[in-house]
Amino acid sequence: MVEQRCWPKMDLLRSESMQLVQLIIPLESAHRAISYLGDLGLFQFKDLNAEKSPFQRTYAAQIKRCAEMARKLRFFKEHMTKTGMLPSTRSAITNDIDLDNLEVKLGELEAELIEINSNNEKLEHSYNELVEYKLVLQKAGELFYSAQRSAAVQQRELQVDNHGEGSIDSPLLLEQEMITDPSKQIKLGFVSGLVSREKSMVFERILFRATRGNVFLKQSVVENSVVDPVSGEKVEKNVFVVFYSGERAKNKILKICEAFGANRYPFAEDLSKQYQMMTEVSARLIELKTTIDVGLAHQSNLLQTIGFQFEQWNLLVKKEKYIYHTLNMLSIDVTKKCLVAEGWCPAFATDQIQNALRRATIDSSSQIGAIFQVLQTKESPPTYFCTNKFTSAFQEIVDAYGIAKYQEANPSVYTIITFPFLFAVMFGDWGHGICLLLVTLYLIIREKKLSSKKLGDIMEMTFSGRYVIMMMAIFSIYTGLIYNEFFSVPFELFGPSAYACRDQSCRDASTAGLIKVRDTYPFGVDPKWHGTRSELPFLNSLKMKMSILLGVAQMNLGIMMSYFNAKFFGDKLNIWYQFVPQMIFLNSLFGYLSLLIIVKWCTGSQADLYHVMIYMFLSPTDDLGDNQLFLGQKFLQLLLLLSALVAVPWMLFPKPFLLKKQHEERHQGQSYALVDRTDDPLEIEPHYDSHKHEEFEFSEVFVHQLIHTIEFVLGAVSNTASYLRLWALSLAHSELSSVFYDKVLLLAWGFNNTIILIIGIIVFVCATVGVLLVMETLSAFLHALRLHWVEFQNKFYEGDGYKFHPFSFALLGNEDE
Amino acid sequence: MYGFEALTFNIHGGYLEAIVRGHRSGLLTAADYNNLCQCETLDDIKMHLTATEYGPYLQNEPSPLHTTTIVEKCTLKLVDEYKHMLCQATEPLSTFLEYCTYGHMIDNVVLIVTGTLHERDVQELLEKCHPLGMFDSIATLAVAQNMRELYRLVLVDTPLAPYFSECITSEDLDDMNIEIMRNTLYKAYLEDFYRFCQKLGGATAEIMSDLLAFEADRRAVNITINSIGTELTRDDRRKLYSNFGLLYPYGHEELAVCEDLDQVRGVMEKYPPYQSIFSRLSYGESQLLDKAFYEEEVKRLCLSFEQQFHYAVFFAYMRLREQEIRNLMWISECVAQNQKSRVHDSVVFIF
């Protein structure tokens, strides 16, 4: 969507030229104008009411209304999820409903839903109560029944005992009571009900304490959890029956029951009454059940109708809220007839914005059109790059370090190629590259489907970086072909190897004795190197030198970019006192090293480059001896060394002094100018501001320059060394993959056993995917990232701009939830 | 005094300290209060609060709001945070956090007992209780008829039990006795908390002893002022003062014999930290005293965040949050009752 709005030019190097624009919009067309601008999405509004608190702004009431509607929508959504219904994704955009109607409608629906809910709740409450009552009837009935039976048995026994022995034995208190005075038994009152299981112990204890043990509590566990009628939650409960005597005890027990949320239910001792209650309760339960079902069906009907349009309403409310938030950023004119907006827009969008404003004027049949007016400003504009779905991921990589200064050279132009390339240098294996490529191709082919779906965190990241990964995969196939690695198996793809055995004695390829029989292998590393004893020294030397060449090239590119920046911003000082000495310094040391490497490769010389470089500093006048690569090398070295030494003070001293001079010149000019303007009081203030802004502190500038110089000089060494990570990681990658191949796959193969082979293959695949394809990719990615952020970008990139955040409805859908 | 807390504190306490400091940075600032004070309706307040950390708690409230709803939801946030911290805490921090809530427990016990004395509905009283001071059998308090029963029935199971041993009298519960009970309990609680913090040692002990001493002194002053003109004897009054703090022991002797507010002021002005509080009050004025004390407390609580590796930040954070909720309650009440001129009377800015 973004790329359609841009002009066809693909100018990624400089950010779009922006302009500060003032819009004066008549009040009646303001809402529509803002909404059209939101559809366009190319205007960033400035908050002109920053000092006002949110509710003092003009449209606070409307925002409150929107928030209220959003709350209602959330309320619906909550109920929909509770009933397991999902709002239909296909939003019916049939009828265009406006905000006021929607508000009324939402209010009605909410009231209806609340009423249904409260009815349902009432019904559920009584239903749950009845369920509990039924449980009490059952359990307490059992308790009474068993108690009576055992009591009867005991009584009979006791009576027999009484007959036999007379009342010499003193039976237990309760039993004694029952025997001696049966009339008292009737006076024992009881309370029955349910109490939640976790509270039952405390309940019992408190009852005991409160009545000093003069109660008899019997509890029975209810197997299934019961829905508590008060809270509506599922709770595990016990049925209890408490027997007590006396009115005071009863009061206490009732209070305690209340305190514990224990629901009490009346219970008749009479068996026939129990049966009668039981049937009554069961009948009512069935009755209620049907009523509740009807109520639920009604509710789900209502929710379904809401669900059809939920997404549409939600979007509409969000949009409205967004519009009013934006309207609140506009300052209202003194005449209260129009709103004044200020903001940034890209220069190319002028026509589109004016068009949108015109349409808004016509559509709202306003008498006066909106005024579009470009303002002059010293403020630094936001940075806006027109990216497409391919370049945006690379731009993200750069933005993660820092947003480019306005119209500063954008490193992401080069990052598109150099990033995947440096990655591939570390990840050179065309087998692994093909695996990566297949995965990303899958992502790219299913792009349309996946982009609308909600992906996981990691998956989201992979998906958004799919084009980066694709480039990385393609490049790693390329470097893999150069390294001649395919899961660490060498292939003779480009013709036969150049080396062969001299005679029969060297069957074992790892021993020496190979001679060159043909022309050099045409592309990449000769497959014969693989597995020989000299494989590592050969590859190390190759990769190490290659890393230095790549590094020096990229750093030179970085310094060149600083030249383009300086030229673009017309900064001569930076060209002569920063770019030139930097170029000289870097190239006289490491450029020279690169030259030596290339000469050595071309001539096949045996010279020791370490020795050359080290003694270039330690004793530059000494004879080079064996290490001489070309004529006049000694002289050239002396020259380079001297120019490097000169370049350091060149970088350090002139710039701060020249800046000081410039400042003084400008300052002098200003003091003359001030005299002319004294009669115009309005002009003084902005003038004063600019003066303050340019306050010049020489020591600060000098220290700053000192830091820069030291950073560059030390950085030239350490950054070059840092590029050696290319070699280190590619070495680690090839060694790891050869370990998995040799020690897992070939070992398993050697057993000649199918099961072991299968296990071996499984282990090999897991290790390849887990370690090489996932972890190694990550680490190589991070190292490539570092090389770009630190070694490349610190040569030129300021990265202190701020991003262009247009007011756009397209971004609205992606926001949270 | 200082151990090597920095070496080992973070093993157990680091995560929670980070959390509590994060919560603290969510406290409302003076700018927020300025905005809140300009609100015209409760909806404005809600709108403003939804932009702060209270957002998730308030945004789903239907629009005709009440002050109680706002306060309830704000308290709920504090309670949620507290419970989260308590879940994550290990000893001795968990005990420390529990100590922080005993004060609310005492208040709740007193609330329920007084409520039942005046025959109020228990459920209604329970709703008024501070959720941090809830315990299992709190509702059962309504059953008790006198102090002894109160202790034997309910409080014996709660952490308050040891504090109660001092004030078990078989006297019936009446307003006076309950108030005495509250203060006795509070005294025992503060002393116990103080001892506990001393046992912890290090920066925790140092800072908490300062905060608790201030609390004790404030209570002493309040007890004195409230008991002027009642039948409480000097000795009884003396017994209610906590046995530590800046005023202990000589200030207590003097406070115990005070007969009017100006005498209290005379006593307090001898102590430099309190001098500034009292010197701001005009003679005979006691309404502003509360606010002055609150301001001083908030200042001290904020200062406790300046040091690291101690537990006082948890105490301080909870106190500050409670102060904030009090502020919000006051502001909402003022807005709801159209008394906007009085909004600034009782609001204590935290930052």
Side-chain angles (χ1 to χ4, degrees):
Chain A
M1 202 178 272
V2 183
E3 65 266 32
Q4 288 165 4
R5 280 193 253 106
C6 286
W7 293 116
K9 62 170 180 170
M10 281 283 291
D11 193 4
L12 203 54
L13 185 64
R14 307 273 168 207
S15 62
E16 295 299 330
S17 71
M18 307 294 279
Q19 53 193 11
L20 185 64
V21 164
Q22 191 177 46
L23 304 178
I24 302 171
I25 313 170
L27 212 51
E28 61 267 27
S29 66
H31 184 272
R32 205 176 288 261
I34 299 293
S35 125
Y36 286 160
L37 285 179
D39 287 332
L40 188 63
L42 280 173
F43 198 90
Q44 177 180 353
F45 287 92
K46 268 166 102 178
D47 192 355
L48 301 176
N49 297 325
E51 77 285 357
K52 280 193 190 168
S53 58
F55 50 84
Q56 287 174 324
R57 300 185 177 201
T58 328
Y59 291 95
Q62 279 87 339
I63 287 182
K64 248 184 269 169
R65 271 172 59 197
C66 289
E68 184 65 20
M69 280 193 271
R71 186 194 62 74
K72 280 172 190 159
L73 286 171
R74 276 197 300 274
F75 176 73
F76 295 147
K77 179 134 193 194
E78 195 184 303
H79 276 279
M80 278 191 266
T81 43
K82 218 191 267 174
T83 51
M85 216 187 306
L86 286 170
S88 62
T89 41
R90 55 161 198 91
S91 48
I93 319 170
T94 44
N95 49 338
D96 228 16
I97 192 163
D98 75 330
L99 200 64
D100 298 322
N101 288 341
L102 183 62
E103 191 177 17
V104 174
K105 192 158 186 188
L106 286 181
E108 280 169 5
L109 284 172
E110 193 198 20
E112 197 178 341
L113 193 58
I114 286 176
E115 199 191 321
I116 292 175
N117 278 347
S118 69
N119 278 342
N120 280 357
E121 246 162 52
K122 252 184 242 159
L123 288 175
E124 295 250 329
H125 184 261
S126 44
Y127 178 77
N128 288 330
E129 248 176 16
L130 281 175
V131 169
E132 287 201 337
Y133 191 18
K134 196 176 169 185
L135 276 170
V136 170
L137 284 176
Q138 280 173 351
K139 293 283 174 182
E142 279 168 28
L143 285 178
F144 269 79
Y145 184 62
S146 63
Q148 262 173 357
R149 214 171 40 181
S150 62
V153 170
Q154 278 173 342
Q155 207 163 2
R156 224 177 301 136
E157 277 173 5
L158 280 166
Q159 273 171 350
V160 172
D161 283 355
N162 275 355
H163 275 293
E165 298 179 24
S167 54
I168 303 160
D169 253 357
S170 61
L172 291 173
L173 190 72
L174 185 71
E175 287 156 0
Q176 195 178 28
E177 241 173 48
M178 291 201 303
I179 307 152
T180 48
D181 194 357
S183 60
K184 261 189 184 175
Q185 194 189 356
I186 303 156
K187 279 184 186 166
L188 274 180
F190 62 88
V191 172
S192 57
L194 282 116
V195 68
S196 80
R197 196 170 300 161
E198 49 190 41
K199 279 189 191 166
S200 61
M201 279 303 289
V202 189
F203 181 60
E204 192 170 350
R205 199 157 59 217
I206 297 279
L207 273 178
F208 184 83
R209 278 195 211 130
T211 55
R212 298 165 197 243
N214 288 328
V215 286
F216 179 69
L217 177 80
K218 195 88 182 155
Q219 295 199 39
S220 159
V221 175
V222 179
E223 289 81 14
N224 304 325
S225 51
V226 186
V227 182
D228 187 64
V230 180
S231 65
E233 282 164 15
K234 281 211 160 185
V235 192
E236 302 219 305
K237 285 195 168 184
N238 282 358
V239 170
F240 68 86
V241 183
V242 192
F243 297 91
Y244 58 87
S245 63
E247 202 54 29
R248 273 187 65 180
K250 184 184 176 184
N251 278 340
K252 274 186 184 171
I253 290 169
L254 291 187
K255 269 188 179 172
I256 291 172
C257 285
E258 201 179 320
F260 275 87
N263 305 317
R264 286 173 290 108
Y265 297 97
F267 180 76
E269 259 179 292
D270 195 8
L271 262 180
S272 61
K273 257 189 185 170
Q274 276 180 34
Y275 278 125
Q276 193 189 338
M277 298 271 260
M278 197 69 174
T279 44
E280 251 174 57
V281 167
S282 305
R284 284 222 45 205
L285 270 178
I286 295 164
E287 217 171 275
L288 269 175
K289 182 81 193 154
T290 48
T291 336
I292 287 174
D293 283 344
V294 170
L296 283 179
H298 189 178
Q299 187 196 23
S300 74
N301 264 344
L302 184 68
L303 285 175
Q304 229 150 28
T305 48
I306 294 170
F308 274 131
Q309 289 176 309
F310 181 79
E311 282 302 320
Q312 189 198 348
W313 290 343
N314 203 9
L315 194 68
L316 181 73
V317 168
K318 270 189 187 172
K319 245 186 193 177
E320 289 292 327
K321 198 175 172 192
Y322 200 22
I323 290 174
Y324 284 119
H325 263 299
T326 311
L327 280 172
N328 266 341
M329 295 207 265
L330 274 46
S331 73
I332 201 153
D333 192 75
V334 269
T335 55
K336 305 232 170 186
K337 290 261 170 60
C338 51
L339 289 165
V340 181
E342 266 179 41
W344 297 100
C345 71
F348 69 79
T350 313
D351 289 340
Q352 284 162 291
I353 289 170
Q354 275 172 332
N355 243 332
L357 292 178
R358 213 168 302 134
R359 262 191 303 138
T361 314
I362 296 164
D363 288 354
S364 54
S365 57
S366 160
Q367 308 269 310
I368 323 142
I371 300 168
F372 179 96
Q373 178 178 6
V374 179
L375 299 179
Q376 294 299 320
T377 179
K378 276 190 173 177
E379 216 178 320
S380 140
T383 309
Y384 176 45
F385 292 107
C386 278
T387 52
N388 53 31
K389 63 184 175 183
F390 179 76
T391 51
S392 64
F394 292 98
Q395 188 63 50
E396 283 296 309
I397 288 176
V398 173
D399 283 353
Y401 174 82
I403 308 293
K405 206 167 70 177
Y406 177 61
Q407 297 230 312
E408 180 182 27
N410 181 10
S412 61
V413 179
Y414 299 95
T415 305
I416 292 172
I417 296 301
T418 54
F419 185 84
F421 179 64
L422 288 189
F423 169 85
V425 171
M426 294 180 266
F427 196 80
D429 188 315
W430 57 279
H432 296 152
I434 288 174
C435 294
L436 270 190
L437 189 64
L438 289 178
V439 172
T440 45
L441 282 182
Y442 170 77
L443 287 181
I444 289 170
I445 288 165
R446 311 215 4 169
E447 194 173 65
K448 282 238 170 65
K449 242 184 209 166
L450 288 174
S451 59
S452 60
K453 243 195 273 177
K454 199 105 191 111
L455 301 165
D457 229 12
I458 293 172
M459 199 55 203
E460 187 90 38
M461 235 161 13
T462 323
F463 181 71
S464 63
R466 59 197 182 280
Y467 288 104
V468 180
I469 299 176
M470 184 189 75
M471 293 295 279
M472 291 182 340
I474 291 171
F475 274 97
S476 65
I477 292 171
Y478 169 70
T479 49
L481 288 173
I482 290 179
Y483 295 161
N484 208 340
E485 297 247 15
F486 178 86
F487 297 108
S488 101
V489 184
F491 274 89
E492 300 194 341
L493 279 182
F494 303 97
S497 166
Y499 299 94
C501 268
R502 196 171 5 168
D503 49 31
Q504 290 302 312
S505 68
C506 66
R507 288 185 318 263
D508 186 1
S510 62
T511 53
L514 293 171
I515 50 161
K516 194 168 177 182
V517 291
R518 286 179 209 94
D519 283 343
T520 314
Y521 192 68
F523 185 82
V525 175
D526 195 305
K528 263 280 149 48
W529 283 109
H530 188 84
T532 57
R533 251 192 306 170
S534 49
E535 182 197 7
L536 273 188
F538 169 72
L539 283 180
N540 281 350
S541 140
L542 172 75
K543 287 178 178 172
M544 208 188 312
K545 285 169 183 154
M546 195 176 70
S547 313
I548 288 179
L549 288 184
L550 292 175
V552 171
Q554 200 184 19
M555 285 192 290
N556 268 314
L557 176 65
I559 302 177
M560 285 302 291
M561 299 276 278
S562 80
Y563 166 72
F564 288 124
N565 264 343
K567 203 177 155 209
F568 184 84
F569 292 117
D571 195 349
K572 282 248 165 71
L573 276 183
N574 274 352
I575 297 179
W576 288 110
Y577 304 106
Q578 203 149 310
F579 163 69
V580 174
Q582 280 185 356
M583 245 358 217
I584 289 174
F585 185 82
L586 182 70
N587 285 315
S588 62
L589 302 182
F590 296 102
Y592 176 59
L593 177 62
S594 314
L595 179 79
L596 288 183
I597 289 171
I598 292 169
V599 170
K600 188 178 166 181
W601 273 349
C602 293
T603 58
S605 147
Q606 303 264 314
D608 184 357
L609 296 187
Y610 297 115
H611 194 272
V612 176
M613 283 308 284
I614 288 168
Y615 281 89
M616 176 174 160
F617 295 99
L618 292 183
S619 47
T621 53
D622 274 9
D623 199 38
L624 283 162
D626 284 344
N627 290 326
Q628 181 153 358
L629 281 160
F630 52 87
L631 260 174
Q633 192 181 358
K634 203 172 104 185
F635 175 71
L636 180 69
Q637 280 188 7
L638 267 174
L639 190 72
L640 289 176
L641 192 60
L642 280 177
S643 53
L645 285 180
V646 169
V648 177
W650 190 355
M651 259 182 270
L652 176 57
F653 294 113
K655 197 181 157 191
F657 286 103
L658 286 171
L659 277 176
K660 193 183 176 195
K661 205 176 129 203
Q662 257 180 18
H663 176 77
E664 274 164 4
E665 273 167 13
R666 207 178 302 151
H667 196 68
Q668 268 176 346
Q670 263 175 13
S671 61
Y672 286 121
L674 256 177
V675 182
D676 298 335
R677 292 184 187 169
T678 39
D679 51 357
D680 190 356
L682 284 174
E683 294 264 321
I684 288 173
E685 203 154 54
H687 181 76
Y688 176 72
D689 273 358
S690 70
H691 172 71
K692 224 171 112 181
H693 188 70
E694 284 173 22
E695 209 170 334
F696 190 84
E697 189 89 46
F698 179 72
S699 60
E700 206 173 284
V701 173
F702 189 79
V703 168
H704 195 70
Q705 188 66 21
L706 186 72
I707 291 169
H708 262 286
T709 311
I710 293 173
E711 195 193 337
F712 182 81
V713 171
L714 296 183
V717 182
S718 67
N719 290 352
T720 312
S722 183
Y723 276 97
L724 290 177
R725 72 184 68 231
L726 293 175
W727 155 53
L729 264 100
S730 99
L731 176 73
H733 184 87
S734 69
E735 287 302 300
L736 262 179
S737 68
S738 85
V739 163
F740 290 141
Y741 180 71
D742 289 344
K743 298 286 180 245
V744 178
L745 203 58
L746 291 189
L747 199 72
W749 190 269
F751 278 100
N752 268 335
N753 184 330
T754 333
I755 298 169
I756 292 180
L757 186 63
I758 290 171
I759 293 172
I761 288 176
I762 291 171
V763 172
F764 176 72
V765 168
C766 290
T768 304
V769 171
V771 177
L772 292 174
L773 286 177
V774 176
M775 273 156 56
E776 274 282 297
T777 310
L778 260 182
S779 84
F781 184 93
L782 288 179
H783 281 283
L785 203 61
R786 185 223 140 94
L787 285 179
H788 277 84
W789 280 354
V790 180
E791 273 75 28
F792 178 49
Q793 292 183 7
N794 77 356
K795 301 282 183 295
F796 66 98
Y797 191 56
E798 303 260 354
D800 58 352
Y802 64 101
K803 211 171 183 171
F804 178 57
H805 283 293
F807 164 70
S808 164
F809 292 143
L811 304 171
L812 208 58
N814 311 339
E815 263 174 33
D816 53 17
E817 285 189 84
Chain B
M1 192 87 185
Y2 287 97
F4 289 94
E5 301 114 344
L7 211 58
T8 53
F9 182 87
N10 280 346
I11 299 172
H12 291 297
Y15 171 64
L16 282 174
E17 194 185 350
I19 287 205
V20 84
R21 278 174 194 275
H23 284 326
R24 177 238 186 208
S25 55
L27 289 171
L28 300 179
T29 60
D32 287 320
Y33 283 119
N34 276 336
N35 283 336
L36 284 172
C37 291
Q38 289 164 11
C39 287
E40 294 292 336
T41 63
L42 287 182
D43 280 341
D44 286 344
I45 291 181
K46 175 188 159 193
M47 188 171 145
H48 189 87
L49 287 181
T50 41
T52 64
E53 297 225 324
Y54 290 113
Y57 289 86
L58 280 172
Q59 67 177 4
N60 281 342
E61 286 309 307
S63 211
L65 273 175
H66 296 288
T67 317
T68 45
T69 327
I70 293 179
V71 173
E72 199 179 294
K73 292 291 163 187
C74 295
T75 315
L76 185 65
K77 177 178 153 58
L78 172 63
V79 173
D80 283 352
E81 284 167 358
Y82 172 77
K83 283 190 179 148
H84 176 74
M85 291 197 286
L86 190 62
C87 279
Q88 302 284 337
T90 52
E91 283 299 330
L93 178 55
S94 50
T95 313
F96 182 89
L97 285 174
E98 277 163 8
Y99 262 107
C100 295
T101 62
Y102 294 168
H104 292 297
M105 255 183 223
I106 295 171
D107 287 343
N108 285 353
V109 168
V110 172
L111 179 79
I112 301 251
V113 173
T114 343
T116 37
L117 200 64
H118 297 284
E119 312 208 317
R120 303 277 286 277
D121 182 32
V122 182
Q123 224 50 44
E124 191 184 310
L125 288 170
L126 280 180
E127 276 164 24
K128 279 189 187 161
C129 284
H130 198 288
L132 279 182
M134 285 301 210
F135 48 90
D136 269 347
S137 43
I138 188 161
T140 332
L141 286 171
V143 183
Q145 298 294 327
N146 57 34
M147 295 265 189
R148 195 179 290 280
E149 269 192 347
L150 200 64
Y151 176 70
R152 233 196 38 224
L153 264 182
V154 193
L155 294 177
V156 74
D157 287 334
T158 67
L160 300 182
Y163 310 146
F164 223 85
S165 51
E166 282 185 42
C167 63
I168 305 178
T169 47
S170 51
E171 291 169 63
D172 281 343
L173 292 169
D174 60 31
D175 280 342
M176 179 77 168
N177 280 336
I178 290 171
E179 207 46 45
I180 291 175
M181 176 186 85
R182 180 213 293 270
N183 285 311
T184 325
L185 282 179
Y186 233 103
K187 169 194 172 175
Y189 157 62
L190 283 178
E191 283 172 2
D192 189 34
F193 198 5
Y194 184 77
R195 272 195 302 277
F196 175 74
C197 292
Q198 291 301 322
K199 212 170 70 197
L200 288 178
T204 309
E206 191 198 14
I207 297 168
M208 281 309 291
S209 65
D210 179 53
L211 294 175
L212 289 175
F214 179 76
E215 178 77 20
D217 292 345
R218 182 172 68 179
R219 291 198 74 83
V221 173
N222 280 339
I223 290 168
T224 313
I225 293 175
N226 289 336
S227 63
I228 290 172
T230 59
E231 58 209 36
L232 199 70
T233 61
R234 287 175 183 181
D235 279 346
D236 284 343
R237 192 196 281 179
R238 173 75 189 77
K239 269 188 212 154
L240 295 178
Y241 300 152
S242 306
N243 287 330
F244 65 98
L246 203 59
L247 300 176
Y248 176 77
Y250 304 112
H252 287 172
E253 301 292 343
E254 290 181 70
L255 275 182
V257 297
C258 286
E259 293 296 339
D260 61 25
L261 195 60
D262 290 339
Q263 283 179 13
V264 176
R265 167 198 288 268
V267 174
M268 296 303 285
E269 279 185 343
K270 289 178 193 160
Y271 294 88
Y274 303 120
Q275 198 179 12
S276 61
I277 295 179
F278 278 85
S279 61
R280 266 186 287 159
L281 305 177
S282 56
Y283 278 84
E285 187 180 27
S286 69
Q287 278 93 351
L288 284 177
L289 187 64
D290 273 345
K291 194 191 175 193
F293 268 125
Y294 277 137
E295 273 172 0
E296 175 69 17
E297 188 191 7
V298 162
K299 205 170 82 190
R300 286 170 187 240
L301 292 172
C302 284
L303 279 179
S304 74
F305 279 92
E306 302 296 315
Q307 264 195 59
Q308 227 189 326
F309 310 129
H310 61 92
Y311 292 153
V313 282
F314 296 96
F315 177 78
Y317 169 67
M318 285 169 54
R319 281 301 174 93
L320 286 175
R321 198 48 109 179
E322 280 162 25
Q323 179 61 44
E324 184 174 291
I325 293 169
R326 272 197 295 273
N327 287 344
L328 285 176
M329 181 157 74
W330 179 261
I331 293 174
S332 334
E333 281 295 346
C334 285
V335 168
Q337 297 175 11
N338 255 331
Q339 296 275 323
K340 282 194 59 190
S341 51
R342 297 193 51 202
V343 146
H344 285 279
D345 285 1
S346 162
V347 173
V348 181
F349 290 167
I350 294 177
F351 298 116

